[in-house]
Amino acid sequence: MNPFSSGTCLRDMIRAIRACKTAAEERAVVRKECAAIRSSINEDDQDYRHRNLAKLMFIQMLGYPTHFGQMECLKLIASAGFPEKRIGYLGLMLLLDERQEVLMLVTNSLKQDLNYSNQYIVGLALCALGNICSAEMARDLAPEVERLLQFRDPNIRKKAALCSIRIIKKVPDLAENFINCAASLLKEKHHGVLITGVQLCADLCKVSSEALEYFRKKCTEGLVRTLRDIVNSPYSPEYDISGITDPYLHIRLLKLLRILGQGDADASDRMTDILAQVATKTESNKNAGNAILYECVETIMSIEDDGGLRVLAINILGKFLSNRDNNIRYVALNMLMRATTLDAQAVQRHRATILDCVKDSDASIRKRALDLLYLLVNDNNVKPLIKELIEYLEVSDQEFKGDLTAKICSLVEKFSSEKIWYIDQMLKVLSEAGNFVKDEVWHALIVVISNASDLHGYTVRALYRAFLTSTEQETLVRVAVWCIGEYGDMLVNNVGMLDIEDPITVTECDAVDAVEVAIKRHTSDLTTKAMALIALLKLSSRFPSYSERIKGIIVQNKGNVVLELQQRSIEFNRILQKHQKFRSALVERMPVLDEATFSGRRAGSLPTAISTSSGAPSNLPNGIAKPATAPIPDLLDLSSDDVPAPSSSGGDFLQDLLGVDLSPTPAPSGADMPPKASTDVLLDLLSIGMPLPVQTGLSASDILSSSQDDKAPFVNFNGLASLSSLSANATSPANAAPMMDLLDGRGPGPQKSEENGQAYPSLVAYESSSLRVMFNFSKQRGSPQTTLIQATFTNLSSNVYNDFLFQAAVPKFLQLHLDPASSNTLPASGDGSITQNLKVTNSQHGKKSLVMRVRIAYKTNNKDVLEERQINNFPQNL
């Protein structure tokens, strides 16, 4: 017999495949076997059809395509015998899925088998339907499955319940058909049927609020009774696992009770007693018992409870933390993190155990315990906990120091009530793990030191001591060098000595030595060395007797290969040599840094800002009045959906941007001469020769606020385009000559289009030396969120553009529709144009402005040209 004929049994084929030594040999065997199976299928060989399908299933598991055998599954399912149906349904579940169109052909066979007299065939059909049921099949076969939920055989009822779960997940609208049948399954004595019935009820509650209310009212008492019977049941070898009766059913019942009790006080009250009984009677020395206790705790945390039961649940989690199994401790830590939002005081009782978990050898346990401990810190326990964490920081693993350092720094900054305590703790962290401290942390420390004027002497002495013992910590060296440079005279003269300090004697030579060590360390990076050079420059003024030595140290870096250090060295040396007069003023102490501003910018709440004349001054901690700030628009951000709207105080924005005063100058008292127009300064600045006619009361803000005055032109802040229209609108004579465009000198600004009484200025969307794109805007009556745009394309070159194509893309909050262009050929030298209509719908009209990225492609002189641009300067009232 041919070893690869269709008559070969499955065992021989598997043996032949396993005997292959290379992948190529295996592919050859599979290819020959598939060819033999195809021949057998074409010959309609019924004797070996089941064997061929078994081979195809094995080939499918090896990863080879077997789509040619899908119809064989349907033929075997349609057979009368149980063996053929069994292999057919198995092939159906393995070779097909719910997305296959062939599956539509099997619906009728499934319906017949679900009504078959042989319960085993019914079971096969239920298994197949539960695995590959599609939404269409669910609607067609739901009545048969619903009927089988009351079948006499418990195995069929169990499979029908599992199949029902698949059906309601595919078609939630059918859930109401299964409510009564599912409720009847909760009274079953057979544990297999009962556990599937409980799962069916849980899934019904998730997809149907009607089912949830029904089970709350009708079934809560029965479920509590069932769970009590299982908890108090005697030993049953059929369901016993580690001395616990059917822990799987325990867990399913607890999950369903959690769903029923969540958000319902009456249902929660009815299950309180049994939950307490499960929590106290279940043994925790076995894994099955721990699984039940965990599920019980999760149920207690989810239902409505007065707090007493919650304390019991948290105590169980506390016991879990002492377990030797890392998995149990990990899930306990996760649950305790959720419990902190419900009863933080009860979790606080286990703080010592949680702290021990921070020191655990398992990395995942350490990290999760640290996250939990971070949530437990408050004003009352912050100092002892920080002390413990810093002590552990000394001996912790290198890979854990980063997370631990970040958490300690965050807690110290968050809960520090005294600056001296904050400085002390940060110095300890810098001494132990300075290399793991992020830049913003030591920046914040410098800001705090700057504001603590009464602690300057104490801080610089403490940093000097720490520097002598921990020079390998980079951030410690930076902060120490900065403080020595600022407060070196306090270090030498022992200014501001506190009672808690030990006396220390530091000479001027010692202070300079410390900075010299920092700059000559081979491990010091560019930032540290640059800060050290600045500190030396400052010390040259504070210690005049060591000026020459400092100069020698600075000069050593004149030939440094790092340009930054070389430049600093040369400039500082120049100051020391030839600018002695203003050196002391140049290197005096830095002014007090603004803590509030630094904290706000660090948190992202205060971006880079510009001043506005409308803001009222506020008193800052350093006593300096500062005007209110407004966020500046990102002039170069082309990727953001949020287009900044022009401020109503446009003149102030322009004034700050250009550095000139555009505010109208008041006339002297008693003078009759009218005030000069405020835009004269701008015109003079930009060298425009045409004087602007005087117009009383016209300020820069009046000219720039286009959204409220139809006579004022729209100004694009991203590029200050279309400023040429300032003159056209400010001058009243109709025959006034147009002003040259301030940026490109291409004539007057675009004209306005009007609809429904609202004017929308035209926009030069794109312009280059060869192409101009003009947008004209209009609105549909009664639809303010929809904007109609007519795009006009003009060729400015002497070459004809062929295959002209315009494309546009918009963010998600916009919808764009493009009509076909009027032509695909653009004449040369402006001798014609192409028009194309766009329709843009803004779902956030009034909140966000239009923004669009355009791409223009054309062919000229047999060369393909592609031009792109993002348009952010649409009128704000579109």
Side-chain angles (χ1 to χ4, degrees), residues 512-651:
V512 175
D513 287 342
V515 181
E516 185 179 9
V517 168
I519 202 171
K520 290 184 177 181
R521 286 170 63 242
H522 69 281
T523 56
S524 294
D525 59 8
L526 173 61
T527 302
T528 305
K529 291 182 178 180
M531 292 178 70
L533 284 173
I534 296 174
L536 286 172
L537 180 63
K538 293 195 172 189
L539 290 179
S540 68
S541 177
R542 288 152 176 69
F543 305 151
S545 59
Y546 282 85
S547 180
E548 288 299 322
R549 181 188 171 191
I550 291 172
K551 178 182 175 182
I553 300 172
I554 292 176
V555 168
Q556 292 175 7
N557 289 275
K558 288 178 65 175
N560 199 299
V561 295
V562 180
L563 183 60
E564 173 73 17
L565 298 179
Q566 183 185 119
Q567 180 180 354
R568 286 176 186 257
S569 177
I570 294 172
E571 291 174 352
F572 293 170
N573 185 50
R574 188 78 170 179
I575 292 172
L576 292 173
Q577 282 183 341
K578 298 188 177 182
H579 301 284
Q580 296 289 339
K581 294 182 180 180
F582 63 84
R583 183 183 63 176
S584 58
L586 180 65
V587 298
E588 65 182 7
R589 285 179 191 157
M590 290 181 62
V592 177
L593 302 175
D594 184 3
E595 277 189 271
T597 303
F598 176 81
S599 301
R601 286 178 180 170
R602 183 179 172 190
S605 59
L606 287 176
T608 306
I610 61 170
S611 61
T612 59
S613 60
S614 60
S618 58
N619 291 325
L620 299 175
N622 57 7
I624 301 175
K626 187 175 181 181
T629 57
I632 194 170
D634 188 351
L635 302 182
L636 298 177
D637 185 9
L638 301 182
S639 61
S640 173
D641 291 345
D642 299 317
V643 182
S647 170
S648 60
S649 58

Side-chain angles (χ1 to χ4, degrees), residues 781-798:
R781 188 178 298 275
S783 181
Q785 70 273 16
T786 301
T787 303
L788 304 178
I789 304 175
Q790 185 184 54
T792 304
F793 306 90
T794 305
N795 185 353
L796 304 178
S797 72
S798 58

Side-chain angles (χ1 to χ4, degrees), residues 307-319:
L309 201 58
R310 229 174 253 138
V311 173
L312 175 62
I314 292 173
N315 290 338
I316 292 174
L317 295 175
K319 292 180 181 178

Side-chain angles (χ1 to χ4, degrees), residues 752-816:
K752 297 180 182 179
S753 60
E754 296 189 9
E755 176 144 341
N756 302 332
Q758 176 68 50
Y760 301 98
S762 300
L763 174 68
V764 179
Y766 176 82
E767 187 159 12
S768 65
S769 60
S770 58
L771 181 66
R772 177 190 297 156
V773 182
M774 180 79 72
F775 281 358
N776 294 311
F777 305 99
S778 61
K779 288 281 189 181
Q780 290 182 341
R781 188 178 298 275
S783 181
Q785 70 273 16
T786 301
T787 303
L788 304 178
I789 304 175
Q790 185 184 54
T792 304
F793 306 90
T794 305
N795 185 353
L796 304 178
S797 72
S798 58
N799 300 318
V800 177
Y801 294 164
N802 298 313
D803 299 333
F804 190 91
L805 177 64
F806 172 76
Q807 295 175 309
V810 294
K812 293 181 180 179
F813 68 90
L814 299 176
Q815 290 185 355
L816 174 65

